[in-house]
Amino acid sequence: MNYAIILVSGGMDSCVTVASAINKGYTPAFLHVNYRQRTEKRELESFNDIADHYDIEQRLVVDISHLSDIGGSCLTDNQIEVPKANLESAEIPISYVPFRNANILSAATSWAEILNASAIYVGAVEEDSSGYPDCRRSFFDAFEEVIDNGTKPDTIIKIITPLISLSKKEIIEKGLSLNVPFHLTWSC
């Protein structure tokens, strides 16, 4: 089997990413991460609904709640108010969870080595990143180098970001063309 680890939050972008990986012929292995984010329970519910829809056998839910213990983000600290999004700002927003995607990719890489997966699919969107440094393609390229240097010599894992340069409209159109079950998703 040609496995791909797919990061599935339960939102629209990750669901379209699932359909993209399946469309490319990968056998999906779903990875979901809980880090005590405000929307943890609802995201997990959608993750399971999407996994059931696609009849996914390989599912892993990982707890990296140390990100909440570290704090610094309105997504994990109830003492920090969630502001309205300002997509025009060049500042890193208070919703940024410090180095979250590196933590998630580390878990995904470990599992990918065990399954002999050749890819990790991530539904990151640069338009969405709003200044998140770990949502840029350059970050994923650098992390691929970390994977190359930190895994067994015969391990080859690519990080695939099929939505990275798309607008929300284009993501929806792509999802519709792939018959994505949008009704099962939930985006915070």
Side-chain angles (χ1 to χ4, degrees):
M1 278 192 225
N2 188 17
Y3 278 111
I5 306 299
I6 307 173
L7 307 184
V8 183
S9 67
M12 176 183 79
D13 297 341
S14 66
C15 196
V16 174
T17 299
V18 166
S20 297
I22 292 169
N23 189 52
K24 291 291 184 183
Y26 286 99
T27 301
F30 277 24
L31 176 68
H32 180 78
V33 176
N34 290 326
Y35 52 96
R36 286 195 306 229
Q37 66 272 36
R38 290 177 188 243
T39 56
E40 181 177 297
K41 288 179 184 172
R42 186 61 184 91
E43 287 179 24
L44 183 59
E45 180 183 325
S46 285
F47 163 81
N48 284 314
D49 289 345
I50 294 164
D52 290 345
H53 174 84
Y54 285 107
D55 198 26
I56 302 302
E57 291 181 27
Q58 295 286 347
R59 303 179 194 193
L60 180 62
V61 177
V62 175
D63 181 283
I64 57 172
S65 58
H66 63 275
L67 294 179
S68 180
D69 295 335
I70 291 168
S73 170
C74 66
L75 298 184
T76 59
D77 185 341
N78 289 327
Q79 301 303 311
I80 301 174
E81 186 177 331
V82 178
K84 290 190 184 273
N86 179 359
L87 299 178
E88 304 302 317
S89 175
E91 305 276 322
I92 295 175
I94 194 65
S95 57
Y96 167 65
V97 178
F99 218 50
R100 177 187 65 184
N101 285 343
N103 284 266
I104 295 170
L105 287 170
S106 293
T109 300
S110 294
W111 197 28
E113 271 202 287
I114 297 302
L115 293 179
N116 293 315
S118 60
I120 297 171
Y121 268 74
V122 183
V125 180
E126 282 194 3
E127 178 183 277
D128 248 9
S129 70
S130 305
Y132 293 5
D134 61 351
C135 283
R136 297 172 295 169
R137 186 60 229 187
S138 60
F139 168 78
F140 296 111
D141 292 340
F143 207 91
E144 275 186 0
E145 288 188 39
V146 170
I147 292 170
D148 289 344
N149 286 296
T151 57
K152 296 179 288 189
D154 60 339
T155 299
I156 299 173
I157 301 169
K158 295 296 175 198
I159 299 174
I160 301 173
T161 54
L163 312 181
I164 198 82
S165 62
L166 300 181
S167 68
K168 284 297 180 194
K169 177 184 178 195
E170 292 168 324
I171 293 168
I172 292 168
E173 289 170 348
K174 182 178 183 99
L176 291 172
S177 74
L178 295 170
N179 296 313
V180 165
F182 285 120
H183 66 286
L184 300 177
T185 67
W186 186 83
S187 298
C188 54

